Amino acid sequence: QALRKDFEGLKDMLIVEVNGVDSLANSGLRTNLRKKKIRLKLVKNSFAKKIFSENGISFPNQSIWSGPTAIAWGAASIAELSREFQAELKNPKTSAGYKDKVKVKSAVADGSPVSFELALKMPTREEAISNIVGLILSPAGRLAAQLTAPGGVLAGQIKTISEKTEGAASAN
């Protein structure tokens, strides 16, 4: 029941293998992730598989349910979760304790399994919004530039003509 409660409605997570990490490194990993509002919970494979199946999440690669498995969740998006998790694993101060002992098996984005590499490349919500706004505004910017360009050319021609007439008037 505790697993059901923890994973109820969970749509973004990492499936992680934690194997051979000593207690000090394990505690450090959990503490550092907790500071980033990311939780890490060791799960029994058969229970996790059943709970995710009940929640409508199925994994095409069933081999992720072999070996010790932990679930990481809690960031605002799968991209943020993946980036923060990888940053923690590559942190030079702590990475020696995790090297070859903590591996990401898979990721789940909005209830669909994806590779960890894809999860790292996905935009966060803020990045996606800024990309959309940029796409919306770029045609308007080009249109404004095209509308003002002929006016600038015309203004330049008028200035040239006025300078010529002033120069001719002062010569007379």
Side-chain angles (χ1 to χ4, degrees), residues 3 7 41-52 64-71 105:
L3 278 181
F7 300 137
K41 184 168 194 143
L42 197 61
V43 296
K44 186 170 180 182
N45 289 329
S46 59
F47 289 153
K49 185 177 174 181
K50 181 179 180 182
I51 289 169
F52 291 133
I64 66 166
W65 300 117
S66 63
T69 302
I71 308 295
K105 296 179 182 183

Side-chain angles (χ1 to χ4, degrees), residues 96-119:
Y98 317 137
K99 189 173 177 101
D100 300 326
K101 297 176 183 177
V102 178
K103 299 174 189 160
V104 178
K105 296 179 182 183
S106 184
V108 176
D110 200 28
S112 300
V114 296
S115 70
F116 182 59
E117 292 75 24
L118 180 61

Side-chain angles (χ1 to χ4, degrees), residues 27-28 30 71 86 98 100 116 120 125-126 131 150 161 165:
S27 176
R30 289 172 185 273
I71 308 295
Q86 182 164 24
Y98 317 137
D100 300 326
F116 182 59
L120 285 169
R125 183 174 188 272
E126 292 79 16
N131 288 342
I161 291 171
T165 56

Side-chain angles (χ1 to χ4, degrees), residues 22 42 49 56 61 67 69-70 90 94 111 113 129-130 134 137 151 165:
D22 63 35
L42 197 61
K49 185 177 174 181
N61 181 3
T69 302
K90 291 189 174 188
T94 57
I129 289 171
S130 70
L137 293 179
T165 56

Side-chain angles (χ1 to χ4, degrees), residues 1-7 51:
Q1 281 300 51
L3 278 181
R4 278 190 179 83
K5 184 179 177 186
D6 283 342
F7 300 137
I51 289 169

Side-chain angles (χ1 to χ4, degrees), residues 68-154:
T69 302
I71 308 295
W73 76 97
S77 69
I78 188 63
E80 185 179 336
L81 174 64
S82 300
R83 291 172 190 165
E84 292 291 347
F85 199 86
Q86 182 164 24
E88 184 58 36
L89 294 181
K90 291 189 174 188
N91 182 344
K93 294 179 182 177
T94 57
S95 64
Y98 317 137
K99 189 173 177 101
D100 300 326
K101 297 176 183 177
V102 178
K103 299 174 189 160
V104 178
K105 296 179 182 183
S106 184
V108 176
D110 200 28
S112 300
V114 296
S115 70
F116 182 59
E117 292 75 24
L118 180 61
L120 285 169
K121 294 175 186 174
M122 287 180 162
T124 63
R125 183 174 188 272
E126 292 79 16
E127 290 170 345
I129 289 171
S130 70
N131 288 342
I132 290 169
V133 169
L135 290 172
I136 290 170
L137 293 179
S138 70
R142 285 196 306 260
L143 179 62
Q146 289 175 353
L147 290 175
T148 57
V153 171
L154 182 60

